[in-house]
Amino acid sequence: MENKKPVIAMTMGDPSGIGPEIILKTLQDPSVYKKCRPFVIGHASVLKKTALNLGISVRIRKLSDLSAIRPESGLLFLMEPDTSSVKLSPGVPSAEGGKAAGRYIETGARLALSGKIDAITTAPINKETLKNAGYPYPGHTEFFAALSKTEDYGMMLAGGPFRIIFTTIHEPIARIAPLIKKEAVLKTIRLLNREMNRLFGIPRPLIGIASLNPHGGENGLFGNEEQNEILPAVQTAREEGIQISGPLSPDALFHKAYHREYDAVVVMYHDQGMIPLKMIAFKRSVNITLGLPFIRTSVDHGSAYDIAGKGIADPSSLKEALSLAAKLSKMKKK
């Protein structure tokens, strides 16, 4: 029975952030091993230093064969992407840390694409250090999409009663309105509808979609994106049999979603969805990349350099992400 538990790679994220700490704290929880067989992609030197600072007793065993992984509290299975060590200080961002984080991601993607693992759960990275290390991706979502050659992908955040997908992800506010086109909105709706069935087992989800402008644009008074782009996308989706309502003003949409009138919602930009999510599910929400040929979940927060090395980082979101990865892996095998 132990060998049937999903094997999940945990990428360490930025080594100078809180990733090493929350991973060690997560793997101290015995309930984790009832759900999956986790292992870490990272550097032993960083984990050992972090464990010493935290006063955590952990045995680290480097992996040469994934079949050796067994669920055992206090035993951390580790895969290093290379034999070189990293010399980093907690809370100090660097290109070296970005390079290490990128290598962890590449290693995890390679294992997932080869079918050797069941899922990937990622600790937080820093987008600037990733860029400084030469990786041209604004985040995990785009990085994994590029590595897997996935063109139709999206970012979902799930927490409490909310499942939220974003039409645009990491874009400056000034660029958002020109990106809200019928084709982009419709692509997001179709992806959400398909992935709700594939990942969550909901074949005909009830979907709500947000407007972009205040009060839904007020018939063009505050903007035309609703009339010209979002509503035509919604109408086409309905013609395809997708159950979708809107566009609705976000305040009304999230009130309905909070009371579970929708299985999932579509928003137009990052903060439009993140603010209500974190208001009610901070530390408990999970980032899921939709459309990939493998399962990837992540924490809902950043590298938190300001508290790195202080021993006060909360592992709750990482535990939720690991638990959801295990759950989705089991559903995929059915």
Side-chain angles (χ1 to χ4, degrees), residues 1-2 7 41 73 101 103 108-109 116 139 190 228-229 238 302 306 325:
M1 291 297 294
E2 297 294 348
V7 175
I41 301 175
S73 183
R103 293 294 303 278
K116 293 180 179 179
R190 287 168 172 163
N228 296 344
E229 309 296 343
R238 286 176 182 157
D306 57 324

Side-chain angles (χ1 to χ4, degrees), residues 124-274:
I125 58 173
N126 179 273
K127 297 168 180 61
E128 185 176 356
T129 61
L130 198 70
K131 180 181 178 181
N132 291 340
Y135 291 102
Y137 309 109
H140 272 114
T141 301
E142 298 86 354
F143 201 161
F144 279 121
L147 290 172
S148 62
K149 296 180 172 57
T150 301
E151 295 184 1
D152 192 7
Y153 63 91
M155 183 175 80
M156 171 183 277
L157 268 292
F162 296 152
R163 296 187 188 100
I164 305 166
I165 189 172
F166 301 77
T167 303
T168 64
I169 305 176
H170 300 113
E171 298 288 350
I173 289 293
R175 288 186 55 189
I176 291 172
L179 293 173
I180 303 304
K181 300 297 182 184
K182 176 186 175 181
E183 294 76 14
V185 175
L186 184 58
K187 182 178 180 181
T188 304
I189 295 168
R190 287 168 172 163
L191 174 65
L192 176 61
N193 188 67
R194 183 176 74 247
E195 294 292 277
M196 287 296 292
N197 183 22
R198 187 177 75 92
L199 291 179
F200 296 95
I202 303 175
R204 297 200 68 215
L206 299 175
I207 299 171
I209 188 167
S211 61
L212 174 67
N213 297 296
H215 303 287
E218 289 280 16
N219 294 317
L221 183 63
F222 301 136
N224 295 312
E225 286 80 10
E226 287 75 19
Q227 292 176 311
N228 296 344
E229 309 296 343
I230 302 175
L231 184 57
V234 168
Q235 291 170 337
T236 299
R238 286 176 182 157
E239 291 170 2
E240 295 174 359
I242 297 174
Q243 300 186 100
I244 184 167
S245 300
L248 300 173
S249 182
D251 52 355
L253 175 71
F254 278 102
H255 176 76
K256 291 175 178 289
Y258 180 79
H259 292 284
R260 301 185 186 275
E261 293 185 33
Y262 300 116
D263 296 305
V265 299
V266 179
V267 298
M268 296 299 109
Y269 60 94
H270 186 274
D271 285 12
Q272 192 178 54
M274 293 299 289

Side-chain angles (χ1 to χ4, degrees), residues 8-14 18-20 22-23 26 38-42 101-109 112 117 119-127 130 139-145 147 155-157 285-289 292 294-303 314-326:
I8 301 178
M10 303 177 72
T11 57
M12 203 169 69
D14 190 314
I18 62 172
I22 59 176
I23 283 177
T26 294
F39 72 98
V40 179
I41 301 175
R103 293 294 303 278
Y104 306 153
I105 293 167
E106 290 171 332
T107 302
I117 60 176
I120 302 171
T121 294
T122 59
I125 58 173
N126 179 273
K127 297 168 180 61
L130 198 70
H140 272 114
T141 301
E142 298 86 354
F143 201 161
F144 279 121
L147 290 172
M155 183 175 80
M156 171 183 277
L157 268 292
S285 55
V286 178
N287 185 331
I288 310 153
T289 304
L292 296 177
F294 51 82
I295 292 166
R296 178 260 169 168
T297 64
S298 187
V299 295
D300 69 346
H301 56 75
S303 299
D314 190 328
S316 299
S317 181
L318 184 60
K319 289 183 181 181
E320 291 288 341
L322 191 60
S323 177
L324 182 59

